[in-house]
Amino acid sequence: MTQTVSRPAAGARKQPLPLDVEAIRADFPILSRTVRDGKRLVYLDSGATSQKPRSVLDAERDFYENHNAAPHRGAHQLAEEATGLYEAARARIAEFIGAAVEEVVFTRNTTDAINTVAYALSNAATAKEPSFRRYAVGQGDEIVVTQMEHHANLVPWQQLCERTGATLRWLGLTDDGRLDLTDLDTVVNERTKLVAVTQQSNILGTINPLEAIVARAHAVGALVLVDGAQSVPHQPVDVAALGADFLVFSGHKMLGPTGVGVLWGRYEVLDALPPFLTGGSMIEVVRMEGSTFMPPPQRFEAGVPMTAQVVGLGAAVEYLQALGMENVQAHEEALTAYALEQLQAIPGVTVIGPPDTVARGGAISFTVDGIHPHDVGQVLDDHGVAVRVGHHCAWPVVRRYGVPATTRATFYVHTGYDDVDALVEGVRAAQRFFGVTPEEATA
Ligand code: PLP
């Protein structure tokens, strides 16, 4: 068993926060409700799903009340308006990540986006159209992931390997919760077809050094898929600077609705991929003998899309742009520094992941000696503090660090120091409740 070593973050304290927490909280209706007999809701589970500001809720309601129709179909005014709103949201989201509009494909979520790529790659081998076979994955090929991937960026690649006879390889983790790149040049080699890696770990908080990974992958002719589910909501992400071939993320983790996500792909790559789901909207010509398909992004958007959700995601992006992603990142960095310092000052608490703020986001997983993470979560819930407990859909990570599960707090734009203080007080209360309080913890 290897475990990360806790040590206090240097000189964190309460730096001034870049975002006006009180003003932002007023934008989120759910934050004015109470939980557990009148306690203030301290929502520290944005990493699982974020709360939604009023502007996002209004955008969805306005769509259904005033413009509801299926986009890209129908000759009537509502259909025209729905198409306009849907495509305007695509343009805004493209701008947000520095992409061309036709490179932005709407999916249900990150999971759906990754499966779309995985199935396109395995379908490529048998595609009738020769131009769709360029990135085909088959026997003898290799797919590379890392040991810190969310199941969404692991299981689809395991399944792809089972379908095609390809081999799955992975980069391991260091004791302090970072990617171990020692073997990068052997793990990513001439047989590698694709490297799938998260930009920010949902469980460790680690921000990965993508530049080195992208450079190595491209040097051997492999594609790179970046899982941005935990990065796009929390830091500026520009696809040109990223240099990858795919970026995937979920609307519901970035103040947007559930049911909508994004698959960004470099146009040249998307254009060379066969579709995954087929049916209406994605076809060019259909005859009984066979069909031809639209270019991207429509090729990957079969059926009537989740239009209101896309419009809602456009509003979420507008909200984040108004705050400024640099400010969002700096805000979370300040909170993370303070939280790491406060949590690691509690005897018996061990942070699983980088113990300081270097290349690290605001997902803090920890264990408390003598108390199961589910029990920690229960006591925190009694105090109105919502956190996540368990393996966080990244089972190999908890296994790597020799723990059954962790308690995880995640921050966002409405998080303030009072939320972190409530978390810390809740952890101390759990120690008292279970009678495992070290002397210093109650001092
Ligand atoms: N990747 C990461 C890093 C995540 O944190 C998550 C969700 O927590 C996912 C992928 C899957 O996202 P979704 O469930 O929205 O598809």
Side-chain angles (χ1 to χ4, degrees):
M1 175 183 121
T2 324
Q3 194 147 314
T4 56
V5 181
S6 288
R7 65 185 158 84
R13 308 312 307 171
K14 290 182 180 171
Q15 307 295 334
L17 290 174
L19 300 180
D20 181 345
V21 170
E22 287 312 319
I24 290 173
R25 283 180 187 166
D27 291 337
F28 288 72
I30 204 168
L31 295 180
S32 63
R33 68 159 287 179
T34 55
V35 292
R36 300 288 171 220
D37 297 330
K39 298 205 180 59
R40 181 175 81 84
L41 170 63
V42 176
Y43 190 74
L44 297 179
D45 199 19
S46 297
T49 197
S50 65
Q51 300 301 347
K52 326 298 175 198
R54 196 172 283 104
S55 61
V56 169
L57 307 175
D58 288 347
E60 276 201 275
R61 172 170 286 277
D62 175 64
F63 178 81
Y64 282 126
E65 285 185 350
N66 296 304
H67 312 286
N68 184 43
H72 299 303
R73 297 161 172 79
H76 52 85
Q77 183 175 339
L78 289 186
E80 209 174 276
E81 289 174 10
T83 305
L85 288 165
Y86 183 74
E87 291 304 329
R90 194 196 306 273
R92 183 176 278 283
I93 292 156
E95 183 204 2
F96 184 61
I97 56 168
V101 174
E102 61 275 16
E103 295 177 327
V104 171
V105 175
F106 289 119
T107 61
R108 280 190 306 125
N109 48 30
T110 302
T111 306
D112 189 21
I114 294 171
N115 276 281
T116 297
V117 175
Y119 274 93
L121 295 178
S122 58
N123 289 348
T126 53
K128 203 169 73 183
E129 178 69 55
S131 66
F132 285 164
R133 292 186 212 139
R134 180 166 162 197
Y135 296 109
V137 173
Q139 192 97 35
D141 292 333
E142 294 181 357
I143 302 289
V144 174
V145 294
T146 82
Q147 206 179 356
M148 71 164 73
E149 298 311 315
H150 186 282
H151 297 162
N153 200 27
L154 171 59
V155 182
W157 304 118
Q158 292 173 336
Q159 292 293 299
L160 165 74
C161 290
E162 284 188 20
R163 286 197 301 280
T164 60
T167 302
L168 189 74
R169 303 190 67 177
W170 56 89
L171 297 163
L173 303 179
T174 64
D175 288 350
D176 66 349
R178 300 193 181 277
L179 272 188
D180 185 351
L181 296 184
T182 319
D183 297 330
L184 179 64
D185 288 355
T186 47
V187 174
V188 179
N189 59 55
E190 283 63 28
R191 291 182 298 279
T192 309
K193 280 295 179 117
L194 177 127
V195 178
V197 56
T198 191
Q199 187 165 18
Q200 186 169 319
S201 162
N202 67 309
I203 174 166
L204 301 169
T206 318
I207 296 176
N208 286 322
L210 293 184
E211 222 176 288
I213 297 170
V214 171
R216 175 61 189 163
H218 284 170
V220 296
L223 295 170
V224 179
L225 179 141
V226 172
D227 178 350
Q230 297 292 345
S231 58
V232 173
H234 302 286
Q235 65 182 80
V237 177
D238 179 272
V239 292
L242 206 57
D245 302 285
F246 303 105
L247 171 72
V248 294
F249 52 98
S250 295
H252 71 94
K253 292 186 195 290
M254 51 190 290
L255 311 182
T258 49
V260 56
V262 170
L263 162 61
W264 168 83
R266 241 174 354 103
Y267 192 82
E268 175 206 340
V269 179
L270 279 184
D271 197 34
L273 290 179
F276 165 36
L277 298 177
T278 54
S281 291
M282 50 73 70
I283 46 79
E284 230 166 30
V285 179
V286 177
R287 295 199 169 81
M288 290 314 293
E289 295 75 21
S291 306
T292 57
F293 310 127
M294 294 278 277
Q298 281 76 24
R299 189 186 301 158
F300 304 100
E301 293 183 1
V304 175
M306 53 308 261
T307 323
Q309 291 90 330
V310 165
V311 171
L313 179 55
V317 165
E318 192 175 349
Y319 190 91
L320 288 171
Q321 283 175 320
L323 295 178
M325 289 309 293
E326 287 83 3
N327 294 329
V328 172
Q329 185 174 26
H331 184 83
E332 291 184 36
E333 265 172 18
L335 290 168
T336 304
Y338 178 68
L340 283 172
E341 182 187 75
Q342 295 298 310
L343 284 170
Q344 292 178 119
I346 305 175
V349 169
T350 303
V351 168
I352 307 293
D356 52 37
T357 53
V358 178
R360 189 196 208 296
I364 303 183
S365 281
F366 59 93
T367 56
V368 184
D369 285 354
I371 314 177
H372 193 279
H374 288 95
D375 294 330
V376 176
Q378 191 67 55
V379 174
L380 286 169
D381 181 49
D382 287 343
H383 283 68
V385 181
V387 293
R388 178 138 182 223
V389 296
H391 54 58
H392 315 288
C393 298
W395 214 335
V397 177
V398 286
R399 223 176 262 127
R400 163 67 176 82
Y401 294 108
V403 293
T406 73
T407 304
R408 182 191 73 178
T410 44
F411 308 142
Y412 214 2
V413 296
H414 47 71
T415 311
Y417 287 122
D418 52 350
D419 295 326
V420 177
D421 289 338
L423 169 71
V424 170
E425 177 44 39
V427 171
R428 290 182 188 279
Q431 289 182 317
R432 286 194 295 272
F433 183 82
F434 287 99
V436 294
T437 316
E439 279 302 301
E440 309 89 304
T442 46

